[in-house]
């Protein structure tokens, strides 16, 4: 058996959590959970703020779909640049320290995107945005794993629900900024200040834990073969996050160019997607406990495909809004489940296990949108959405077959 989705008792985190957290009162643990959740929220709000203004930046810089697709490749390149070091940094310096530093830098990178006046400047800004985004992603999910251990129950889906809820909040804030005719730079500065205040009020409550370092002989090796189970989890996450990334970066463009939604309604598809993804993640832990991980993930994959194909064949406001809601429900629980399992791997420190899985997964989130741009340039945006729709079927297939592999 390659991966066992059920007995989580086999996956015990290797991080040694400080005594003050393990013996804390329930009220303090709830404050810890809230603090970690707010860091998820801050990351989601920052990314959603960028995503909601992509159509405006595309128009301001006079970019074609192909130009935008090429520029968006800077995000995964930034992620790839930090990928070999992010897990080691989290293990060595502590996820709480890396999370504080990387989220602050993530905010400054967001503001920097609003200053871009050329395609080159935007590309360089997105490179840094991807770099610090990956570092913050590893650190915050390591914090999520540690907090699960303190509560002794599955809460990772709810944490990712905070990230999704932040996306919905970012869409509403973006709609308000568009109504006020504020340019992206002023929009980014306002959101940046809000996120920095979140960091200031919550950083003291992050979980402090020390990971067990790898043996010296392993550390000397430049290349170590990754755990096979982690790679498979990463592939499932890749397909899910590719679909999610397309919704973030292209849903507004799809509603503007294909659906031809009037005025502020261009954010309707993105908003409906975010509402259902956030709602699905807050309900996800209960659904998984009732129906099992395998069944929930299979149904989720089918919903992703059904939603994207519906948007392709019925490109009108109401059908596309409902279709994007299906995609939101589909991607809701897959990544939190994958991260939760990976963080409790018995042979790899949580930070490094999450680096493998989340990096492979996040590549889908970052590479999906630019690939969509190039496919759209050649074959049209509807065809590119149909291409991503295949990923949902692949998720359902891999989950059903992976038990007997």
């Amino acid at each position: 058996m390659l991966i066992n989705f059920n007995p989580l008792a086999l996956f015990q985190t290797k991080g040694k959590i400080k005594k003050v957290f393990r013996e804390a009162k329930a009220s303090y643990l709830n404050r810890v959970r809230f603090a970690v959740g707010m860091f998820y929220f801050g990351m989601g709000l920052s990314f959603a703020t960028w995503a909601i203004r992509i159509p405006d930046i595309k128009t301001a810089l006079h970019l074609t779909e192909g130009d935008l697709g090429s520029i968006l490749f800077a995000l995964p390149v930034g992620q790839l640049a930090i990928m070999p070091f992010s897990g080691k940094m989290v293990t060595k310096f502590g996820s709480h320290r890396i999370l504080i530093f990387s989220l602050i830098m993530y905010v400054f990178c967001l503001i920097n995107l609003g200053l871009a006046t050329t395609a080159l400047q935007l590309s360089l800004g997105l490179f840094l945005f991807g770099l610090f985004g990956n570092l913050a992603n590893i650190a915050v999910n390591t914090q999520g794993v540690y907090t699960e251990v303190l509560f002794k129950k599955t809460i990772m889906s709810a944490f990712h629900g905070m990230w999704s809820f932040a996306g919905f909040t970012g869409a509403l804030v973006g709609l308000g900024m568009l109504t006020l005719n504020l340019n992206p730079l002023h929009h980014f500065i306002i959101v940046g200040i809000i996120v920095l205040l979140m960091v200031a009020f919550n950083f003291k409550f992050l979980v402090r834990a020390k990971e067990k370092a790898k043996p010296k002989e392993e550390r000397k090796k430049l290349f170590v073969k990754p755990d096979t189970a982690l790679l498979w989890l990463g592939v499932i996450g890749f397909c899910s996050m590719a679909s999610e990334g397309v919704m973030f970066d292209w849903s507004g463009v799809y509603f503007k160019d294909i659906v031809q939604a009037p005025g502020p309604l261009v954010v309707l598809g993105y908003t409906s997607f975010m509402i259902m993804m956030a709602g699905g993640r807050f309900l996800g832990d209960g659904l998984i406990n009732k129906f099992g991980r395998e069944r929930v993930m299979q149904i989720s994959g089918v919903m992703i495909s059904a939603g994207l194909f519906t948007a392709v064949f019925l490109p009108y406001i109401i059908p596309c809004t409902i279709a994007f809601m299906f995609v939101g429900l589909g991607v809701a629980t897959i990544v939190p489940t994958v991260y939760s399992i990976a963080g409790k791997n018995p042979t790899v420190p949580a930070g490094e296990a999450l680096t493998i899985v989340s990096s492979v997964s996040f590549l889908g989130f970052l590479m999906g949108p630019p690939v969509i741009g190039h496919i759209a340039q050649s074959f049209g945006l509807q065809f590119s959405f149909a291409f991503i729709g295949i990923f949902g079927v692949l998720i359902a297939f891999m989950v059903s077959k992976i038990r007997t592999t």
Side-chain angles (χ1 to χ4, degrees):
M1 182 179 292
L2 182 59
I3 297 178
N4 191 336
F5 281 97
N6 295 320
L8 284 180
L10 296 176
F11 294 90
Q12 298 297 327
T13 183
K14 299 177 77 62
K16 184 178 180 181
I17 300 174
K18 288 189 175 183
K19 187 176 180 180
V20 65
F21 293 96
R22 288 186 285 107
E23 298 181 358
K25 293 182 179 179
S27 59
Y28 185 79
L29 292 181
N30 287 329
R31 183 64 180 88
V32 169
R33 180 176 179 176
F34 176 81
V36 175
M38 291 310 294
F39 273 84
Y40 275 91
F41 186 89
M43 285 187 61
L45 182 61
S46 298
F47 190 86
T49 299
W50 148 250
I52 205 68
R53 298 309 294 257
I54 288 176
D56 298 303
I57 293 175
K58 174 178 177 287
T59 301
L61 298 184
H62 307 290
L63 303 173
T64 67
E65 280 80 3
D67 292 334
L68 181 60
S70 297
I71 291 170
L72 290 175
F73 266 119
L75 267 168
V77 170
Q79 185 200 23
L80 287 169
I82 195 66
M83 190 187 301
F85 313 104
S86 53
K88 294 181 176 62
M89 291 172 67
V90 168
T91 301
K92 182 175 182 179
F93 299 108
S95 58
H96 59 291
R97 295 188 184 94
I98 295 298
L99 178 54
I100 295 166
F101 167 72
S102 57
L103 185 53
I104 291 173
M105 294 304 299
Y106 197 52
V107 167
F108 283 112
C109 290
L110 171 66
I111 295 172
N112 185 53
L113 293 175
L115 295 170
T117 57
T118 66
L120 178 59
Q121 289 176 343
L122 184 60
S123 298
L124 292 174
L126 287 174
F127 173 85
L128 294 174
F129 199 55
L131 188 149
F132 287 106
N134 177 264
L135 195 57
N137 181 52
I138 302 301
V140 78
N141 280 292
T142 303
Q143 284 286 309
V145 170
Y146 291 155
T147 309
E148 272 196 334
V149 174
L150 293 175
F151 278 82
K152 300 178 182 178
K153 63 180 181 179
T154 302
I155 57 175
M156 184 66 82
S157 186
F159 279 142
H160 284 254
M162 290 297 293
W163 195 92
S164 302
F165 179 66
F168 170 62
T169 304
L172 290 181
V173 172
L175 181 60
M177 297 296 178
L178 288 170
T179 304
L180 294 173
N181 292 319
L182 287 181
N183 62 38
L185 176 60
H186 293 154
H187 180 181
F188 294 170
I189 290 173
I190 292 170
V191 171
I193 293 172
I194 294 172
V195 176
L196 290 177
L197 288 174
M198 290 179 187
V199 173
F201 283 110
N202 292 286
F203 77 93
K204 291 183 179 179
F205 298 95
L206 293 177
V207 181
R208 290 162 176 79
K210 184 177 181 181
E211 287 284 1
K212 293 181 181 179
K214 287 184 176 182
K216 289 184 179 179
E217 58 271 16
E218 267 192 61
R219 292 201 302 267
K220 289 179 181 178
K221 296 180 181 178
L222 184 60
F223 298 104
V224 179
K225 184 180 179 181
D227 186 285
T228 306
L230 295 177
L231 289 178
W232 274 109
L233 287 170
V235 172
I236 294 173
F238 177 95
C239 293
S240 177
M241 294 197 77
S243 306
E244 188 176 334
V246 168
M247 289 293 102
F248 269 101
D249 287 5
W250 288 99
S251 59
V253 178
Y254 196 88
F255 259 64
K256 184 177 182 179
D257 296 345
I258 304 300
V259 179
Q260 297 183 346
L265 289 181
V266 295
V267 302
L268 184 60
Y270 173 84
T271 305
S272 63
F273 164 77
M274 290 305 308
I275 290 174
M276 299 310 291
M277 184 169 70
R281 284 179 170 171
F282 284 118
L283 297 173
D285 295 322
L287 292 173
I288 289 170
N289 291 330
K290 183 175 182 179
F291 299 107
R293 283 179 167 80
E294 186 175 2
R295 182 175 297 177
V296 171
M297 292 176 76
Q298 285 175 326
I299 295 173
S300 297
V302 172
M303 292 181 73
I304 291 171
S305 293
L308 287 170
F309 288 138
T310 299
V312 169
F313 293 110
L314 296 172
Y316 310 105
I317 289 182
I318 294 178
C320 276
T321 300
I322 296 172
F324 284 10
M325 292 171 72
F326 267 82
V327 179
L329 282 174
V331 301
T333 58
I334 294 175
V335 171
T337 301
V338 165
Y339 283 11
S340 180
I341 296 172
K344 300 178 180 70
N345 188 285
T347 61
V348 183
E352 297 185 31
L354 284 168
T355 297
I356 296 170
V357 173
S358 66
S359 293
V360 175
S361 300
F362 216 64
L363 277 176
F365 187 72
L366 298 177
M367 292 185 69
V371 168
I372 281 292
H374 286 282
I375 295 175
Q377 184 76 10
S378 301
F379 303 101
L381 196 54
Q382 287 172 279
F383 182 88
S384 60
F385 266 57
F387 174 79
I388 295 297
I390 298 172
F391 285 12
V393 177
L394 290 176
I395 291 171
F397 177 78
M398 283 188 288
V399 171
S400 66
K401 295 295 182 182
I402 206 166
R403 271 181 163 275
T404 56
T405 301

